[in-house]
Amino acid sequence: MNIMLVSVTERTREIGIRMSVGARRRDIMNQFLIEALFLCLLGGVIGLLLGVLVGWLMVGVVVGFVVGASASGQLPLVITPATLILPFAVSAGVGIIFGLYPAIRASRLDPIVALHRAR
């Protein structure tokens, strides 16, 4: 949320220009919501890949050292559909929940005040 609030503050002039040429509140709000959602989904992808990599290392390397090299092939790495869907669902929820306030704040800016304040 803090990153998106800083983004709204830094882009006050852009918001004022877009609103003065005809962008509706809904357009501004959608822009910031989509941006927050994209950032969170990107974090979800990175977290998913990192989680699969750590899981693969735990199964292949650590279990091989602890149990023995012969037993490491007997313990498979199981990736279920829930394992793939859950990071995206959580990331999307976080993006929408914590992106909503900055998006509403950006959409409520008065174009004249936004252009004046951004100098």
Side-chain angles (χ1 to χ4, degrees):
M1 182 184 291
N2 286 335
I3 291 172
M4 292 308 297
L5 285 172
V6 168
S7 177
V8 168
T9 303
E10 288 178 350
R11 293 163 52 184
T12 302
R13 184 170 175 82
E14 174 193 337
I15 296 167
I17 290 171
R18 286 192 66 208
M19 292 182 88
S20 66
V21 295
R24 296 174 298 214
R25 285 183 166 191
R26 185 178 68 206
D27 298 330
I28 302 295
M29 190 167 73
N30 285 341
Q31 173 189 349
F32 282 94
L33 268 177
I34 289 170
E35 185 176 327
L37 187 62
F38 176 75
L39 286 173
C40 286
L41 287 177
L42 182 65
V45 168
I46 293 169
L48 174 72
L49 293 175
L50 189 63
V52 169
L53 178 68
V54 168
W56 178 75
L57 287 173
M58 292 293 286
V59 167
V61 177
V62 176
V63 172
F65 283 130
V66 172
V67 178
S70 63
S72 64
Q74 297 174 356
L75 188 63
L77 176 65
V78 178
I79 299 175
T80 63
T83 307
L84 300 175
I85 294 171
L86 191 62
F88 295 111
V90 170
S91 296
V94 167
I96 290 172
I97 290 169
F98 291 110
L100 195 59
Y101 175 70
I104 291 171
R105 186 171 171 186
S107 69
R108 289 187 178 166
L109 284 176
D110 183 26
I112 296 170
V113 174
L115 288 172
H116 180 68
R117 190 176 5 160
R119 290 183 188 233

